[in-house]
């Protein structure tokens, strides 16, 4: 439900430019075996033009039930993300990812530090206290991006044109890429990501008790 | 003997106990050893399992520590930096807190980022593994590691960390310390060639590498082996595999030495106990055997003493058991034997007839006495022989003779002191041993003995005159030993006999008499051989008419050196030596020769020849005589044989048969010396005799002794009644001749008529006698006749 809500927000946010350009494409993300993949970040990089889309510059990743909420988020470069703490315990959020290395000592809702993700790339976040906590921030330069929902579907409002479509996933072995040309006639696209199905990481480390971590 | 019994007892007991102990010991040892081995074997199994468990626990520990590192914030921060020096410094920082020998950090794509060891060996396993943490055994270079591999999450995988401990001696020792009983641990693996490679061992053994080979062929099997003199039970356990695929094997060595030392301890106690028991048994056996053998030994000694005639044995009588009983029995037996032997000895040394001692006794006594006596204490041996005892025996019978002997014995004993010894030496001889007397005192005793012989011995109704001869020898004057002393006394007795002395001392000078006698015998023999003897003849004339027709042949020995030797000397000698037979033969032959000679010259003389008792014993005598008669052509009735009463008595029946044979051939037989012996009238009738010669003892004093007259008269009467011719010997005067004529005596012989003369002289005498009787016929007859008429 939460994801649905988030999705709706995303969609609402995403609809705003579409309203401007009036084109929405549907991307179905699957893994190499054809299974629809949720939580995948799909981005479009215009190949024939430079387009600037005005994304929301402030995001929030809350700590709820010893988990990052949302766990995976795609933001445009330069986005400021707040890290509130809704739990009644401390968290020590860190990132050793190159695009953004930071360390936040989060006391129970006392402070709301913000981190500016000013370089594109994947920022993996963990909590030094709770090892199972994983959060992924995809900092993207691309003007268009979206995330797949539970059925692997994502929608992106995009202006017509030629794009390089890139699909990313925390469990990916390699990104899914393809070149697409968006126009009125073709609103549906499929992209597959080579997922590390064998590997157990990061599933292996799970929160104790009923706390559930990220489940792609 | 004692030792042999004892030794055997000890040996038997010793072997018995030792065998039992050995059997028990071997069983105990076997069971205990098996038990110990089982224990050790169990311990080995347990230890092996513990080791396996311990090893896997070790894995977890390594994993834990590795994971701990992987989550260290600073470390993760360092890894995320990707800078080797930063990572290594972070690791060095952490290494202080943990127990790992080596750590390596790999990037996500498997590049070695950092290594705590300089050799930077890549853990090849990472290439093929997934992204899960794991533990493994791995060779890094030549060193085996027990490692844990852990991803470094931040929170996504940013790299790998490998943490490991060396599989080496230290690890082996660590395990050894943790395991109960501190077993020895070794780690092995194979190399690519399949050879065994030693990784680490708690045993400081260079030979381990070699030794282990044999176990590899029998994995998971219990083995027993020895290293450096220590015994081990060994078993291999597979701890895991190396990443290269080879097995990681551990050998667990559980020492048997502690078990064996305990076993040795038990054995030692057992052996000590065994030795103690053995000593105890041996000592007991020794004591028991000694308690057996000592009395046996004493009994044996006692038996030897008894064997040697010593009955004064001392047996221990302090025992109440069977040996005590035996010892008492033994003592009693010895005493009983002693008594019995004493009695037997006494019986053996006693004369049964007289109850006196016998020859053995006096010999024994003398032996003991002379050997123990000092030389100054003299001992005299007096031998007393009873004369003519054999005659008493023959005439009056054994009972009387025995009585005489007994009587004489008791009389002799009465003379002696109680400490003197008297014993019967032979039939008619007594031996007296008189100790501690001076020679003059001994003479007194001798005199008393001689005095004793003057009193006749009364037996039943007889009164028998007993005479005797004495021979005396004195110790130490005459002999040193009992034997020599007795011999000397015998010799003295012989001298007394020979020289017709009542008693004689042994004198070494007269010792030659015996040799003299011997030489005399030799000379007699030679005289017979060389016809040196002579036969003299004494005429016997008829009382009635003085007719002379008979002579008695009497042997004479004119010795060239000694002169005429008396027949009384050499005839008894010849009788004793047996020479008498030849002598008689010689006399017979010469007499018959003489008869033949006389006959040839017209002289018809009957010749009387004396025979001795020993001649009569010669069964060949009749044959010899008839051969001689034939040889010289002499008629048997020309020969008269004279035999003394005593000669006939010695062997009556055979004598009678011999005499009968002679008589049957026609030979005259006369009883010589009649009246001196114990004459029996009864046998006169039985004997085939033709005449009786009255002993000259009666005739010599006939004219004076009226008793003799009575005897002679009655004898003549008796003889005539029996149809015997009566000859009186020893007629020495005319009065006797006249009396004999009056009594009716047939023939007279004696000096009154004529002395014995050689044949030639006799012939001369005969001629003159014939002339006398012719001119004065019946000179004797007249005398006789007058007398006869007067009576």
């Amino acid at each position: 439900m939460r994801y649905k809500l988030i999705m709706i927000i995303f969609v609402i946010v995403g609809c705003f430019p579409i309203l401007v350009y009036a084109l929405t494409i549907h991307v179905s993300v699957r893994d190499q075996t054809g299974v629809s993949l949720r939580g995948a970040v799909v981005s479009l990089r215009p190949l024939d033009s430079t387009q600037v889309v005005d994304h929301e510059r402030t995001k929030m990743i809350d700590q709820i039930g010893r988990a990052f909420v949302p766990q995976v988020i795609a933001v445009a470069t330069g986005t400021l993300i707040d890290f509130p703490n809704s739990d009644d315990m401390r968290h020590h959020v860190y990132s050793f990812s190159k695009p953004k290395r930071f360390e936040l000592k989060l006391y129970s809702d006392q402070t709301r530090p913000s981190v500016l993700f000013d370089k594109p790339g994947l920022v993996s976040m963990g909590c030094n206290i709770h090892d199972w906590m994983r959060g992924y921030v995809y900092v993207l330069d691309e003007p268009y991006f979206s995330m797949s929902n539970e059925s692997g579907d994502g929608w992106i409002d995009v202006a017509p044109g030629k794009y390089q479509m890139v699909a990313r996933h925390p469990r990916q072995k390699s990104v899914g890429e393809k070149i697409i040309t968006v126009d009125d006639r073709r609103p549906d696209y499929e992209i597959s990501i080579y997922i590390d199905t064998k590997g157990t990481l990061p599933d292996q480390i799970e929160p104790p008790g009923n706390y559930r971590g990220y489940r792609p | 003997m004692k030792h042999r019994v004892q030794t055997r007892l000890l040996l038997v007991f010793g072997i018995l106990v030792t065998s039992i102990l050995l059997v028990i010991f071997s069983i105990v040892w076997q069971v205990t050893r098996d038990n110990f081995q089982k224990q050790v074997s169990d311990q080995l199994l347990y230890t092996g399992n513990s080791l396996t468990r311990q090893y896997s626990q070790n894995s977890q520990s390594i994993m834990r520590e590795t994971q701990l590192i992987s989550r260290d914030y600073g470390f993760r921060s360092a890894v995320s930096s990707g800078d080797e020096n930063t990572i290594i410094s972070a690791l060095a920082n952490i290494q202080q807190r943990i127990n790992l020998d080596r750590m390596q950090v790999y990037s996500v794509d498997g590049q070695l980022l950092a290594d705590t060891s300089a050799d930077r060996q890549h853990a090849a396993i990472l290439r093929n593994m997934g992204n899960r943490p794991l533990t493994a055994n791995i060779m890094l270079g030549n060193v085996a590691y027990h490692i844990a591999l852990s991803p470094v999450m931040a929170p996504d995988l940013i790299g790998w960390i490998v943490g490991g401990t060396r599989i080496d001696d230290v690890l082996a020792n660590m395990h050894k310390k943790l395991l109960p009983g501190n077993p020895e641990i070794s780690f092995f693996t194979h190399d690519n060639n399949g050879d065994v490679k030693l990784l680490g061992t708690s045993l400081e053994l260079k030979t381990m590498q070699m030794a282990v080979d044999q176990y590899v062929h029998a994995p998971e099997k219990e083995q027993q082996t020895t290293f450096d003199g220590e015994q081990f039970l060994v078993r291999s356990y597979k701890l895991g595999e190396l990443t290269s695929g080879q097995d990681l094997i551990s050998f667990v060595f559980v020492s048997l030495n502690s078990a064996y030392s305990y076993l040795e301890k038990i054995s030692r106690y057992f052996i000590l106990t065994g030795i103690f028991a053995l000593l105890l048994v041996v000592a007991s056996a020794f004591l028991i055997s000694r308690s057996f053998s000592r009395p046996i030994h004493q009994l044996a000694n006692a038996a030897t003493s008894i064997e040697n005639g010593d009955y004064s044995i001392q047996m221990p009588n302090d025992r109440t058991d069977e040996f005590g009983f035996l010892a008492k029995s033994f003592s009693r037996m010895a005493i009983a034997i002693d008594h019995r032997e004493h009695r037997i000895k006494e019986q053996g040394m006693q004369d049964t007839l007289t109850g006196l001692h016998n020859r053995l006794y006096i010999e024994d006594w003398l032996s003991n006495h002379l050997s123990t006596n000092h030389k100054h204490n003299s001992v005299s041996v007096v031998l007393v022989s009873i004369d003519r005892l054999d005659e008493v025996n023959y005439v009056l019978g054994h009972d009387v003779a025995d009585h005489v002997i007994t009587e004489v014995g008791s009389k002799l004993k009465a003379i002696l002191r109680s400490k003197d010894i008297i014993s019967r030496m032979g039939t008619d001889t007594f031996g007296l041993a008189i100790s501690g007397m001076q020679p003059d005192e001994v003479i007194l005793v001798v005199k008393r003995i001689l005095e004793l012989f003057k009193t006749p011995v009364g037996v039943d109704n007889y009164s028998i005159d007993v005479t005797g001869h004495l021979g005396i020898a004195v110790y130490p004057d005459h002999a040193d030993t009992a034997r020599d002393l007795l011999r000397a006394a015998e010799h003295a007795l012989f001298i007394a006999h020979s020289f017709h002395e009542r008693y004689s001392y042994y004198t070494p000078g007269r010792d030659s008499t015996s040799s003299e006698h011997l030489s005399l015998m030799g000379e007699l023999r030679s005289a017979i051989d060389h016809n040196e003897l002579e036969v003299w003849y004494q005429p016997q004339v008829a009382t009635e008419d003085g007719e002379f027709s008979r002579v008695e042949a009497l042997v004479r020995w004119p010795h060239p050196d000694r002169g005429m030797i008396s027949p009384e000397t050499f005839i008894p000698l010849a009788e004793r030596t047996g020479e008498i037979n030849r002598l008689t033969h010689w006399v017979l032959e010469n007499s018959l020769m003489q008869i033949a000679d006389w006959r040839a010259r017209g002289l018809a003389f009957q010749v009387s020849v004396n025979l001795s008792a020993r001649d009569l014993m010669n069964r060949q005598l009749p044959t010899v005589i008839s051969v001689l008669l034939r040889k010289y052509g002499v008629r048997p009735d020309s020969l008269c044989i004279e035999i003394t009463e005593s000669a006939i008595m010695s062997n009556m029946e055979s004598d009678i048969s011999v005499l009968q044979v002679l008589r049957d051939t026609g030979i005259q037989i006369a009883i010589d010396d009649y009246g001196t012996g114990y004459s029996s009238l009864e046998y006169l009738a039985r004997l085939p005799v033709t005449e009786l010669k009255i002993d000259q003892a009666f005739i010599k004093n006939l004219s004076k002794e009226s008793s003799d007259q009575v005897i002679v008269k009655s004898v003549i009467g008796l003889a005539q009644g029996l149809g015997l011719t009566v000859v009186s010997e020893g007629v020495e005067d005319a009065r006797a001749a006249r009396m004999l004529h009056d009594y009716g005596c047939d023939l007279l012989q004696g000096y009154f008529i004529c002395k014995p003369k050689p044949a030639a002289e006799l012939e001369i005498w005969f001629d003159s006698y014939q002339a006398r009787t012719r001119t004065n016929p019946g000179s004797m007859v007249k005398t006789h006749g007058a007398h006869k008429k007067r009576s």
Side-chain angles (χ1 to χ4, degrees):
Chain A
M1 281 306 282
R2 220 159 29 222
Y3 295 119
K4 218 166 187 175
L5 195 72
I6 292 165
M7 274 304 184
I8 289 165
I9 294 166
F10 268 57
V11 168
I12 291 167
V13 168
C15 276
F16 187 71
I18 292 168
L19 287 175
V20 176
Y21 297 105
L23 249 177
T24 298
I25 60 164
H26 167 250
V27 183
S28 178
V29 185
R30 301 179 191 281
D31 65 13
Q32 62 269 33
T33 58
V35 177
S36 49
L37 200 60
R38 70 155 184 164
V41 175
V42 182
S43 60
L44 295 174
R45 187 153 56 93
L47 296 174
D48 48 5
S49 60
T50 304
Q51 296 176 31
V52 176
V53 176
D54 187 22
H55 290 286
E56 191 180 354
R57 294 294 173 179
T58 304
K59 293 281 190 179
M60 185 188 71
I61 301 175
D62 198 357
Q63 326 293 316
I64 303 168
R66 283 175 276 183
F68 291 106
V69 181
Q71 194 176 19
V72 182
I73 189 169
V75 295
T77 308
T79 303
L80 197 67
I81 298 178
D82 291 342
F83 287 91
N85 183 4
S86 300
D87 283 339
D88 50 0
M89 67 194 73
R90 295 182 189 180
H91 290 289
H92 180 192
V93 179
Y94 67 87
S95 160
F96 296 132
S97 302
K98 274 183 181 159
K100 191 65 190 180
R101 299 170 73 96
F102 64 92
E103 189 179 342
L104 299 172
K105 287 177 178 149
L106 299 179
Y107 302 103
S108 184
D109 221 14
Q110 287 178 358
T111 51
R112 265 175 101 95
S114 302
V115 175
L116 176 68
F117 294 88
D118 49 2
K119 285 183 184 140
L122 174 63
V123 175
S124 298
M125 298 176 301
C127 174
N128 205 23
I129 298 169
H130 310 101
D131 280 347
W132 63 89
M133 288 174 64
R134 298 285 166 86
Y136 300 96
V137 179
Y138 285 94
V139 183
L140 301 170
D141 276 342
E142 289 90 337
Y144 308 104
F145 50 83
S146 177
M147 291 182 70
S148 61
N149 65 7
E150 287 180 18
S151 57
D153 298 323
W155 290 268
I156 304 171
D157 294 325
V158 68
K162 199 176 177 185
Y163 296 94
Q164 184 184 35
M165 182 184 280
V166 180
R168 295 182 178 87
H169 191 271
R171 279 173 61 198
Q172 73 185 27
K173 282 193 115 178
S174 56
V175 297
E177 281 180 305
K178 70 183 343 180
I179 306 293
I180 59 166
T181 305
V182 181
D183 53 29
D184 292 341
R185 290 165 303 198
R186 247 194 102 193
D188 297 315
Y189 298 93
E190 276 191 11
I191 191 162
S192 63
I193 305 172
Y194 195 80
I195 293 295
D196 181 9
T197 49
K198 267 201 300 184
T200 50
L201 283 174
D203 310 37
Q204 182 207 7
I205 301 170
E206 295 191 352
N210 293 321
Y211 293 111
R212 311 288 294 183
Y214 167 73
R215 286 268 166 215
Chain B
M1 187 181 81
K2 174 187 176 183
H3 295 294
R4 278 185 54 202
V5 169
Q6 216 162 48
T7 312
R8 267 159 60 186
L9 256 173
L10 292 184
L11 222 66
V12 164
F13 275 103
I15 289 170
L16 205 69
V17 170
T18 310
S19 313
I20 292 169
L21 286 174
L22 281 176
V23 167
I24 293 173
F25 176 71
S26 66
I27 291 168
V28 167
W29 198 81
Q30 196 82 29
V31 168
T32 314
R33 195 194 59 182
D34 288 354
N35 192 33
F36 277 139
Q37 277 195 347
K38 176 83 167 61
Q39 279 183 20
V40 173
S41 180
D42 289 350
Q43 191 195 339
L44 179 64
L45 210 64
Y46 171 77
T47 305
N49 292 335
S50 296
L51 175 67
T52 317
R53 198 163 51 243
Q54 214 163 272
Y55 194 82
S56 72
Q57 280 171 0
N58 211 33
S59 299
Q60 289 167 27
S61 150
I62 293 165
M63 173 58 86
R64 225 170 10 251
E65 293 201 324
T66 309
Q67 283 189 340
L68 214 61
I69 298 164
S70 74
R71 286 176 205 167
D72 183 87
Y73 188 73
F75 169 71
R76 281 188 292 190
S77 171
V79 173
S80 67
S81 76
D83 177 54
E84 183 180 355
N85 287 337
T86 310
I87 295 169
I88 284 180
S89 66
L91 286 175
N93 182 46
I94 292 160
Q95 206 160 21
Q96 293 166 356
R97 286 179 268 148
I98 54 152
N99 243 335
L100 298 174
D101 297 320
R102 188 167 184 175
M103 285 169 282
Q104 289 182 325
V105 177
Y106 292 88
S107 65
V108 175
D109 53 6
Q111 296 300 310
L112 178 63
L113 297 177
D115 192 347
T116 52
S117 173
D119 64 0
R120 291 182 65 92
Q121 284 283 336
H122 195 281
I125 183 175
L126 295 176
R127 287 171 190 149
N128 299 321
M129 72 182 185
N131 53 356
R132 290 176 174 275
L134 54 84
T135 56
N137 304 298
I138 193 166
M139 294 295 297
L140 293 175
N142 278 325
V143 186
Y145 286 92
H146 188 194
I147 57 160
L149 178 69
S150 184
V152 183
M153 307 294 285
D156 276 340
L157 186 69
I158 57 167
W160 297 94
I161 176 163
V162 169
T165 51
R166 270 193 298 275
I167 301 174
D168 59 2
D169 292 355
V170 177
L171 184 70
N173 278 308
M174 185 202 83
H175 281 296
K176 176 186 172 179
K177 277 176 199 138
L178 288 174
L179 287 168
N182 297 340
E184 302 295 342
I185 306 290
S186 296
F187 299 110
F188 293 89
T189 186
H190 308 275
D191 60 16
N192 290 329
N193 302 325
D195 294 330
V196 172
K197 179 175 168 59
L198 174 65
L199 299 173
T201 177
S202 61
L203 275 172
E204 294 172 9
L205 287 168
K206 302 260 163 94
T207 52
M208 278 302 291
Q209 181 87 38
M210 280 157 52
V212 153
D213 290 342
Q214 57 182 299
Y215 302 113
V216 172
H217 301 299
E220 312 269 322
K221 285 269 163 59
E222 190 180 295
Q223 306 271 344
Q224 194 167 337
T225 190
T226 306
F227 295 130
D228 286 354
E230 192 169 358
Q231 284 209 301
F232 291 97
L233 270 187
V234 186
R235 196 178 155 146
S236 65
Y237 292 90
K238 184 179 167 182
L239 292 177
E241 287 179 2
L242 288 175
T243 52
S244 48
Q246 284 94 2
D247 287 344
L248 176 66
I249 300 157
S250 172
F251 286 101
V252 178
F253 298 80
V254 177
S255 174
L256 283 167
N257 274 29
S258 58
Y260 279 154
S261 72
Y262 190 61
L263 196 61
E264 272 172 25
K265 207 162 149 190
I266 288 175
S267 302
R268 205 157 47 237
Y269 284 138
F270 194 92
I271 286 165
L272 281 174
T273 314
I275 287 169
F276 181 69
L278 192 65
L279 285 176
L280 214 64
V281 166
V282 165
S284 311
F286 179 77
L287 288 175
I288 288 168
S289 69
R290 202 178 60 165
S291 76
F292 284 152
S293 67
R294 197 167 52 182
I296 287 172
H297 199 61
Q298 284 168 338
L299 286 171
N301 283 340
T304 311
S305 294
I306 289 171
E307 186 187 322
N308 294 330
D310 177 15
Y311 299 102
S312 59
I313 52 165
Q314 283 298 317
M315 296 300 296
N317 53 359
D318 54 335
R319 296 179 72 119
T320 53
D321 58 3
E322 289 85 343
F323 282 112
F325 181 69
L326 183 57
K328 283 189 191 93
S329 302
F330 221 78
S331 297
R332 281 202 301 274
M333 184 189 78
I335 291 164
I337 289 176
D338 191 20
H339 284 186
R340 215 166 300 144
E341 195 186 85
H342 209 70
R343 208 161 63 232
I344 289 167
K345 207 167 165 185
E346 278 189 341
Q347 284 173 353
M349 293 192 168
Q350 207 172 30
D351 179 51
T352 44
L353 174 63
T354 57
L356 300 172
H357 299 303
N358 61 11
R359 185 187 187 90
L360 283 174
Y361 182 83
I362 199 167
E363 282 176 0
D364 205 38
W365 186 88
L366 283 171
S367 303
N368 293 330
H369 219 70
L370 297 192
S371 61
T372 57
N373 215 343
H374 295 295
K375 295 237 169 182
H376 56 76
N377 197 0
S378 69
V379 176
S380 303
V381 169
V382 180
L383 291 182
V384 180
S385 75
I386 304 168
D387 296 342
R388 298 192 301 152
L389 189 66
D390 47 350
E391 284 180 33
V392 176
N393 202 4
Y394 305 143
V395 178
L396 300 176
H398 286 289
D399 290 347
V400 177
D402 288 353
H403 202 105
V404 168
I405 293 162
T406 314
E407 197 69 14
V408 171
S410 59
K411 281 180 176 175
L412 287 171
K413 195 173 184 186
I415 287 170
L416 297 172
R417 299 166 301 171
S418 60
K419 71 169 184 176
D420 296 332
I421 302 297
I422 174 166
S423 62
R424 192 174 168 211
M425 306 295 282
T427 320
D428 55 359
T429 313
F430 291 96
L432 317 179
I434 300 162
S435 53
M437 269 196 186
Q438 297 302 313
D440 48 346
E441 292 177 301
V442 176
I443 287 294
L444 281 176
V445 173
V446 168
K447 291 267 168 66
R448 285 181 67 187
I449 293 168
L450 291 172
E451 201 66 28
L452 188 146
F453 282 127
K454 288 183 176 166
T455 318
V457 174
V459 182
D460 296 338
N461 297 325
Y462 304 98
S463 180
I464 300 165
D465 278 318
V466 178
T467 56
H469 289 83
L470 278 70
I472 304 146
V474 181
Y475 166 90
D477 301 345
H478 298 152
D480 287 338
T481 65
R483 220 178 140 86
D484 291 348
L485 189 61
L486 281 171
R487 196 181 295 150
E490 276 164 14
H491 189 256
L493 182 61
F494 176 75
I495 296 297
H497 269 292
S498 302
F499 294 90
H500 302 288
E501 289 161 357
R502 301 319 297 176
Y503 69 91
S504 172
Y505 268 93
Y506 173 80
T507 43
R510 282 173 89 172
D511 207 2
S512 60
T513 3
S514 58
S515 55
E516 190 181 318
H517 276 280
L518 286 175
S519 70
L520 205 61
M521 274 334 295
E523 287 172 38
L524 177 62
R525 198 173 296 130
S526 129
I528 293 167
D529 292 343
H530 298 95
N531 274 326
E532 286 166 7
L533 298 178
E534 289 175 7
V535 180
W536 288 15
Y537 301 94
Q538 186 172 33
Q540 296 172 349
V541 295
T543 315
E544 193 60 36
D545 52 4
E547 193 196 343
F548 167 56
S549 59
R550 295 170 49 139
V551 291
E552 183 179 355
L554 295 165
V555 67
R556 288 292 181 271
W557 185 7
H559 195 276
D561 304 325
R562 310 186 197 205
M564 194 62 76
I565 294 177
S566 164
E568 286 185 8
T569 302
F570 69 84
I571 285 175
L573 211 59
E575 280 185 323
R576 224 171 291 154
T577 57
E579 205 62 33
I580 192 72
N581 286 335
R582 288 186 64 224
L583 184 62
T584 304
H585 189 267
W586 186 88
V587 172
L588 270 171
E589 187 158 17
N590 277 276
S591 302
L592 291 174
M593 215 150 56
Q594 190 60 53
I595 291 169
D597 182 40
W598 278 331
R599 185 165 296 279
R601 290 187 277 131
L603 295 170
F605 294 149
Q606 190 192 53
V607 177
S608 296
V609 175
N610 290 286
L611 293 191
S612 122
R614 290 193 68 150
D615 293 322
L616 285 179
M617 287 173 199
N618 182 7
R619 295 249 156 210
Q620 302 300 312
L621 185 69
T623 321
V624 169
I625 290 174
S626 34
V627 165
L628 286 172
L629 285 171
R630 268 199 301 280
K631 182 177 174 184
Y632 295 102
V634 176
R635 281 171 49 185
D637 58 357
S638 298
L639 182 66
C640 180
I641 301 293
E642 289 189 12
I643 305 140
T644 61
E645 276 186 300
S646 55
I648 296 170
M649 294 309 136
S650 64
N651 204 350
M652 195 107 170
E653 291 306 317
S654 63
D655 290 352
I656 289 172
S657 66
V658 169
L659 290 175
Q660 191 63 58
V661 173
L662 291 172
R663 181 72 198 92
D664 289 347
T665 59
I667 295 167
Q668 304 292 305
I669 296 171
I671 300 288
D672 199 6
D673 297 345
Y674 188 78
T676 53
Y678 304 93
S679 309
S680 162
L681 294 175
E682 187 260 337
Y683 80 81
L684 272 181
R686 284 175 54 208
L687 286 172
V689 293
T690 52
E691 57 180 79
L692 200 69
K693 293 187 78 174
I694 298 171
D695 193 274
Q696 52 188 339
F698 297 104
I699 308 300
K700 268 179 181 164
N701 299 318
L702 187 68
S703 50
K704 298 164 212 160
E705 294 284 337
S706 58
S707 61
D708 286 349
Q709 293 163 11
V710 174
I711 291 167
V712 170
K713 197 175 170 181
S714 50
V715 166
I716 291 168
L718 174 74
Q720 286 178 337
L722 289 168
L724 302 174
T725 306
V726 181
V727 181
S728 292
E729 283 183 288
V731 180
E732 293 184 357
D733 52 55
R735 193 172 149 82
R738 210 177 303 123
M739 288 170 82
L740 289 166
H741 174 264
D742 293 345
Y743 296 157
C745 179
D746 296 307
L747 292 161
L748 301 178
Q749 183 184 347
Y751 284 11
F752 175 65
I753 312 298
C754 182
K755 285 186 178 178
K757 290 176 189 297
E761 288 181 34
L762 183 73
E763 282 165 34
I764 295 164
W765 175 83
F766 177 64
D767 289 340
S768 69
Y769 180 77
Q770 268 197 328
R772 238 189 308 157
T773 46
R774 218 175 293 130
T775 53
N776 186 13
S779 60
M780 287 178 68
V781 180
K782 254 198 281 188
T783 324
H784 295 174
H787 209 86
K788 201 176 178 180
K789 276 165 200 158
R790 205 170 50 235
S791 60

